[in-house]
Amino acid sequence: MTLRTSPEVGGMGHSIKRKEDPRFIRGKGTYVDDVVLPGMLYLDIVRSPHAHAKIVKIDPSKAMAVPGVLAVITGQDLAKYNLHWMPTLMSDTQMVLPVEKVMYQAQEVAAVLATSRYAAADGAAVVEVEYDPLPAVVDPHKALEPGAPVLRTDKKDKKDNHIWHWEWGDRAATDRAFAEADVTVKEKIYIPRIHVASIETCGCIAHFDKVDGKLTVWMTTQAPHAIRTVFALVAGHVGLAEHKIRIISPDIGGGFGGKVPVYPGYVIAVAASVLTGKPVKWIEDRMENLQADSFARDYHITAELAAKKDGTLTALRIKTLADHGYTDAAANPSKFPAGLFHVCTGSYDLKAAHVEVDGAYTNKPPGGIAYRCSFRVTEAVHTIERMVDIMAHQLGQDPAEFRMKNFIRPEQFPYKSALGWEYDSGNYGGALQKAMDGVGYAELRREQAEKRNRGELMGIGISSFTEIVGAGPSKHFDILGIKMFDSCEIRIHPTGKAIARFGTKSQGQGHETTYAQILAEELGIPAADIQVEEGDTDTAPYGLGTYASRSTPVAGAAAAVASRKILDKARKIAAHLLEVAAEDLVYEPGKFSVKGSPNRSKTIQDVAFAAYTNHPQGMEAGLEAVSYYDPPNLTYPFGSYICVVDIDKGTGEVKIRRFLAIDDCGNIINPMIVQGQVHGGLTMGLAPALFEEISYDEFGNVQGGSFIDYLVPTAVETPKWETGHTVTPSPHHPLGAKGVGESATVGAPAAIANAVVDALWHLGVRHVDIPITPPKVWKLLREKGVTE
Ligand code: MCN
Ligand code: CUN
């Protein structure tokens, strides 16, 4: 991409340093727990030791005796205001505090309000709760068996634990393609329950000002406006109207999807503040965060792939059981209960596909959030990339050649997938070829053959993923009815500096820098002169927030469109200043000049000053614009990753020797930030591939509830990532950009799993579920008789 602006202006393509970093690296960020208000009270939560139990009695007397404890809040207290249940984003219902029974271990049971955090914790430790344990339903398959205990006894007509059935695609055509196929492969793939484990846990400070009746909530949320509207809808009956609610999302220490939902703690803090008229702070600790916040994945998949003898793929069939815990609290666009899972045909030109998903209730924390994945895209990519690899190996074909043969070709874009998506642009062969050249693929295959002769286990894994990000076109995408547009409002000040506000909310992605670069690119105002603000609902224009890598595709587009509206007016002002017709001006970023006489020109700063001091008669003063952008389509970033592993026959350890990621997110705003996103994303893809899993024992006790059991990779476990990119612009995005924030997390696990299976295929291993831990591999090696 040729750069249109100088490094000083810092438009698109410049790796300018992040504007937010000076405050972060000096420890001067303002995270929610940094906010301290006079007279603030603290909340701590009593949690259930049982996965399923009736609540017989809650005795607050000992807690009330702790100095500083002011109140113990129970479900009965909230029930008086009908606030003991709340709706989930998927229109299910979730307890704020229970009245009858608890549904998972670590569920909120009661809350203690005190004058200090320590008093609140001391109080919570001595609230006496009498439980009557009930049988726990842990396995979602068993949950759907006849005779399984019905969990949602609160739903009058509910007679089983089935939440919904969803299917997509042409079943008959798919069945026909399978009947006619020369070769079919079938595999059961489990994608385990994992947790985002962001550095900062969740929390809030709710401050209800009794004098003006206004509620202000500082909150770790990725979607402040949506939260405000949900609060107004849920709490309208107790007098909270939307103009009297202000949500402020301060600096956030990682969101990754886990900060999209509303958690009970937020609601309890708000209720406590409304009742006391004092600010109330609630901050989760690490174990609460891991044990009780929304989880991701937990998909039990059965996938089948069909091909002709020559290796041409024809059809895909998938059946999935989704474990949602005790309530469906997935953060999906409302029309898609399984998210965008139906992008599961991936990068391949399949003629037919059919996918079915069933949701089930179990005694586990609720969720189904996207963990750095645009709504179930990781599950989709893992499935298709594993299946394609299995098919290639089954046919005895090289997995790279096999992919090249079956890719959607560049000239087929825009491409309509068998499951109905319109892929905007792509060059899958180009990315894979670049990755193959980068790692020296042919040489690695030769080395692998030699090693295999010597009995050594080396594997090469490929993942050529296609993502779908930037939700989304309002025709199909809404959350609880609110359309998924996003917004940008720009004001140019008289001296040529600017402020731009957005409906999104950065959690570490660097929006203060990259949005300023978009404005710099369009307006020619240096990025350093542009203040970017997000996250305060009293000042930012309405938007749906940051997740699903939608900020660049949607709000980034809004920034370009709003800038262009400003330029329309700026051109008229410049024409007035230069005393020529607007059509007689040529524009380059930051400068209007007269056609044919380039010396006669006005800068954007001249124009800005004139907009307030010397604007044409009949024109309104000022230089401002706002755009609410409704994208015509999603964007489809893609990439090809190649992973090389060596497996230790003594321990079963998988060692990643090399990992090369070639990404394509269309035109790039800031290459350094994109590379940072890819590095972080790769580590978050490594995590579930080799380490992370939250499992439960038969009683529903959580097995990954602290960092002792939940293995988050550190720098020590992380290999040296090699990165690169190709550029295939999006044809419909005003800047040709696609999202990138989640790509690496989506694409990486399959490359690692494919490398492991590639190392073991000759021993008869077809599939290994992630996380691929040393004990799991060692057990396999032992079964095959190759341990050392
Ligand atoms: N970018 C760019 N050029 C492009 C695309 C993106 O320079 N063609 C830049 C953007 O300007 C932005 C960053 O890359 O600064 C990510 O942009 P985008 O892909 O639009 O994603 P979002 O900003 O919407 O971020 C969301 C995405 C998601 S959904 C998760 S989950 C995730 C991720 O970002 N959470 C993160 N990356 C994270 N990074 C950090 N540090 N913390 C998180 O919580
Ligand atoms: Cu996909 S996790 Mo992100 O959407 O916040």
Side-chain angles (χ1 to χ4, degrees):
M1 192 180 139
T2 45
L3 303 182
R4 287 173 71 217
T5 59
S6 66
E8 291 69 40
V9 172
M12 275 178 75
H14 290 289
S15 287
I16 63 171
K17 286 193 181 161
R18 300 203 327 169
K19 293 171 137 215
E20 40 275 269
D21 282 345
R23 76 171 183 278
F24 291 154
I25 60 183
R26 288 183 296 167
K28 300 287 184 198
T30 304
Y31 297 90
V32 70
D33 204 17
D34 294 321
V35 177
V36 175
L37 301 179
M40 194 163 74
L41 303 178
Y42 297 79
L43 203 67
D44 201 6
I45 291 177
V46 180
R47 292 178 183 273
S48 169
H50 299 283
H52 196 196
K54 277 212 165 79
I55 295 175
V56 182
K57 199 172 132 204
I58 300 177
D59 180 357
S61 52
K62 283 193 182 150
M64 290 302 292
V66 172
V69 170
L70 303 174
V72 175
I73 303 163
T74 66
Q76 301 287 1
D77 299 325
L78 295 183
K80 287 179 211 148
Y81 306 95
N82 198 25
L83 286 173
H84 54 316
W85 286 88
M86 62 178 181
T88 71
L89 291 177
M90 289 313 286
S91 300
D92 202 337
T93 49
Q94 176 171 2
M95 290 178 226
V96 178
L97 286 173
V99 172
E100 278 160 35
K101 61 176 188 171
V102 287
M103 297 290 264
Y104 66 92
Q105 192 184 52
Q107 187 185 333
E108 300 80 0
V109 175
V112 175
L113 187 66
T115 50
S116 78
R117 181 150 194 192
Y118 296 98
D122 288 347
V126 293
V127 171
E128 290 182 331
V129 186
E130 195 184 316
Y131 298 96
D132 186 2
L134 296 164
V137 178
V138 179
D139 180 339
H141 299 93
K142 288 193 182 147
L144 294 187
E145 279 171 10
V150 177
L151 298 183
R152 293 300 300 267
T153 44
D154 57 289
K155 298 190 181 206
K156 294 251 152 11
D157 302 322
K158 195 84 192 128
K159 297 282 180 288
D160 57 26
N161 298 314
H162 186 242
I163 312 177
W164 41 256
H165 172 83
W166 176 83
E167 61 177 85
W168 207 263
D170 188 335
R171 185 194 291 267
T174 307
D175 289 349
R176 221 167 27 247
F178 269 87
E180 290 164 4
D182 298 326
V183 199
T184 62
V185 289
K186 181 173 183 175
E187 200 57 60
K188 277 188 159 50
I189 298 174
Y190 176 52
I191 302 184
R193 187 173 271 247
I194 53 173
H195 199 283
V196 298
S198 48
I199 291 177
E200 181 201 36
T201 60
C202 292
C204 70
I205 298 143
H207 183 203
F208 182 70
D209 185 328
K210 282 200 162 160
V211 177
D212 61 10
K214 186 159 182 180
L215 172 72
T216 304
V217 191
W218 289 260
M219 183 174 178
T220 51
T221 178
Q222 298 177 221
H225 282 99
I227 295 283
R228 185 187 72 190
T229 302
V230 171
F231 271 24
L233 293 174
V234 173
H237 66 287
V238 292
L240 278 178
E242 199 164 1
H243 65 304
K244 292 289 187 186
I245 302 173
R246 177 182 188 187
I247 308 292
I248 300 174
S249 191
D251 285 331
I252 292 189
F256 306 110
K259 287 173 180 163
V260 174
V262 172
Y263 293 118
Y266 298 145
V267 181
I268 305 168
V270 169
S273 182
V274 171
L275 288 176
T276 59
K278 303 238 177 177
V280 175
K281 183 185 267 191
W282 168 68
I283 307 282
E284 263 175 357
D285 69 23
R286 177 57 60 189
M287 282 165 66
E288 295 180 291
N289 176 270
L290 279 176
Q291 294 175 11
D293 283 4
S294 287
F295 71 92
R297 323 283 196 250
D298 220 342
Y299 258 31
H300 299 258
I301 296 164
T302 305
E304 295 170 272
L305 195 58
K308 293 189 205 160
K309 258 201 299 291
D310 67 355
T312 308
L313 289 172
T314 54
L316 174 71
R317 189 159 60 195
I318 297 181
K319 272 192 177 156
T320 290
L321 179 56
D323 183 343
H324 278 280
Y326 93 86
T327 176
D328 185 0
N332 287 327
S334 299
K335 289 192 190 73
F336 301 95
L340 312 185
F341 188 58
H342 44 315
V343 72
C344 55
T345 54
S347 310
Y348 309 98
D349 190 13
L350 293 172
K351 296 289 172 257
H354 186 253
V355 40
E356 288 177 77
V357 186
D358 287 276
Y361 289 129
T362 58
N363 287 118
K364 294 179 198 164
I369 55 144
Y371 163 155
R372 215 165 180 175
C373 124
S374 177
F375 317 119
R376 304 291 185 189
V377 178
T378 310
E379 289 89 327
V381 163
H382 199 72
T383 307
I384 186 68
E385 285 305 305
R386 280 294 303 123
M387 293 310 289
V388 164
D389 233 60
I390 292 171
M391 181 62 93
H393 280 90
Q394 182 75 29
L395 291 166
Q397 298 190 11
D398 179 89
E401 266 171 46
F402 186 76
R403 283 179 168 80
M404 289 286 193
K405 181 187 174 82
N406 283 291
F407 279 151
I408 301 158
R409 294 183 315 279
E411 65 274 16
Q412 285 175 281
F413 292 91
Y415 171 85
K416 188 83 180 255
S417 82
L419 291 172
W421 297 112
E422 189 176 296
Y423 292 16
D424 58 349
S425 64
N427 178 2
Y428 304 148
L432 178 54
Q433 192 58 53
K434 188 161 181 182
M436 290 168 73
D437 295 345
V439 292
Y441 186 76
E443 181 48 41
L444 285 168
R445 284 286 174 207
R446 272 194 291 280
E447 181 193 343
Q448 182 189 32
E450 271 170 34
K451 290 212 158 135
R452 193 163 291 168
N453 284 336
R454 294 204 295 270
E456 291 172 39
L457 299 174
M458 167 184 166
I460 305 159
I462 301 173
S463 168
S464 292
F465 64 91
T466 290
E467 267 201 289
I468 170 168
V469 308
S474 66
K475 209 163 127 213
H476 302 297
F477 290 88
D478 66 83
I479 288 187
L480 297 172
I482 310 168
K483 304 289 191 185
M484 294 185 78
F485 58 86
D486 225 294
S487 59
C488 168
E489 182 212 84
I490 303 171
R491 296 183 190 172
I492 314 286
H493 308 316
T495 54
K497 318 289 179 191
I499 183 164
R501 295 189 170 113
F502 293 82
T504 49
K505 173 63 208 172
S506 186
Q507 313 123 44
Q509 293 89 344
H511 290 174
E512 285 167 48
T513 311
T514 46
Y515 283 148
Q517 288 185 265
I518 293 176
L519 267 67
E521 174 77 8
E522 295 289 328
L523 300 172
I525 297 174
D529 291 349
I530 298 161
Q531 174 80 16
V532 169
E533 280 184 14
E534 300 177 294
D536 182 341
T537 57
D538 265 10
T539 54
Y542 203 101
L544 270 273
T546 290
Y547 41 84
S549 302
R550 64 189 297 281
S551 302
T552 304
V554 191
V561 171
S563 298
R564 290 170 195 180
K565 288 185 189 175
I566 284 187
L567 286 181
D568 285 344
K569 183 169 182 184
R571 175 181 286 269
K572 291 187 190 122
I573 297 172
H576 160 73
L577 295 177
L578 292 161
E579 297 177 332
V580 294
E583 305 78 62
D584 290 333
L585 293 175
V586 280
Y587 178 72
E588 62 188 274
K591 197 163 112 190
F592 291 96
S593 48
V594 179
K595 247 181 231 164
S597 32
N599 292 337
R600 290 185 60 207
S601 66
K602 288 290 168 191
T603 65
I604 188 79
Q605 289 81 4
D606 298 333
V607 170
F609 198 66
Y612 296 86
T613 59
N614 177 21
H615 55 289
Q617 283 301 306
M619 177 192 270
E620 285 181 16
L623 200 51
E624 304 185 1
V626 58
S627 164
Y628 289 82
Y629 187 78
D630 184 358
N633 191 2
L634 292 113
T635 68
Y636 294 75
F638 59 93
S640 264
Y641 295 174
I642 301 186
C643 172
V644 184
V645 301
D646 299 295
I647 296 178
D648 186 322
K649 290 202 285 183
T651 62
E653 190 191 350
V654 173
K655 291 180 185 156
I656 298 179
R657 191 205 307 175
R658 288 190 68 184
F659 195 111
L660 172 61
I662 300 297
D663 275 280
D664 192 321
C665 58
N667 289 333
I668 293 176
I669 298 153
N670 184 320
M672 180 187 67
I673 285 183
V674 166
Q675 198 191 24
Q677 286 290 309
V678 171
H679 274 212
L682 288 172
T683 306
M684 279 186 124
L686 165 75
L690 297 187
F691 306 105
E692 295 179 357
E693 171 167 27
I694 292 196
S695 58
Y696 291 82
D697 72 9
E698 58 184 306
F699 306 107
N701 294 310
V702 59
Q703 308 287 288
S706 80
F707 277 162
I708 294 174
D709 303 306
Y710 193 67
L711 299 181
V712 176
T714 67
V716 176
E717 290 81 18
T718 305
K720 180 179 179 301
W721 304 118
E722 300 169 60
T723 57
H725 62 263
T726 56
V727 176
T728 311
S730 167
H732 63 78
H733 187 280
L735 303 165
K738 302 181 181 186
V740 77
E742 303 163 302
S743 298
T745 302
V746 168
I752 298 171
N754 285 345
V756 172
V757 176
D758 185 63
L760 304 175
W761 183 273
H762 65 290
L763 301 172
V765 175
R766 292 170 58 93
H767 175 69
V768 190
D769 274 330
I770 56 170
I772 306 173
T773 57
K776 213 182 256 183
V777 176
W778 191 81
K779 199 165 155 263
L780 269 177
L781 297 178
R782 207 168 124 103
E783 274 165 30
K784 307 296 177 191
V786 295
T787 38
E788 256 165 16

